[in-house]
Amino acid sequence: MRGGCGVVKIDHQGETPPYEQVRVHYAHAISNRELPVGAKLPTVRALAKDLGLAVNTVARAYRELEEAGLVETRGRAGTVVSANGDSNRERVRAAAAQYAAMSAELGLSSQEAMEIVRAALRT
């Protein structure tokens, strides 16, 4: 299924639940700006049908995207990429700059600082 940002591929045999695969696909597309602010996502029913998933599975993915501030549901107008996603990205950039400055101030090497970040992202 083309979801406006490449093909959504579901691995039904994999360990990752289908709703998470859908969520990650759209989260990456939004983060990478393949889907710009205001872009409309397919309807829950249409995407579920195209992917061979239950409607509730896709609805859960969309709900989690909305809770993360990446999309917003506008009733009959559908689900669209939220402008909040850009502000979230800016907040993360600011936090990263602050972390980099603190790491340097404390005498950590770039490698040590990155190892700490990688460990934090794994949790």
Side-chain angles (χ1 to χ4, degrees), residues 97-119:
Q98 203 172 21
Y99 174 73
M102 179 188 294
S103 297
E105 182 181 311
L106 295 173
L108 294 176
S109 70
S110 295
Q111 183 177 350
E112 288 175 299
M114 287 304 298
E115 287 172 10
I116 292 169
V117 170
R118 283 188 192 95

Side-chain angles (χ1 to χ4, degrees), residues 33-92:
R33 298 188 177 167
E34 294 171 43
L35 282 175
V37 171
K40 193 170 181 179
L41 272 60
T43 66
V44 169
R45 289 184 191 278
L47 186 58
K49 181 180 177 190
D50 288 345
L51 296 177
L53 299 173
V55 171
N56 287 339
T57 300
V58 175
R60 179 174 179 182
Y62 278 26
R63 188 170 48 254
E64 291 192 11
L65 289 167
E66 189 164 23
E67 288 170 3
L70 296 174
V71 300
E72 57 189 59
T73 301
R74 298 180 176 166
R76 291 195 172 269
T79 302
V80 297
V81 175
S82 171
N84 197 26
D86 277 347
S87 68
N88 287 345
R89 178 185 285 260
E90 187 52 44
R91 288 176 56 204
V92 171

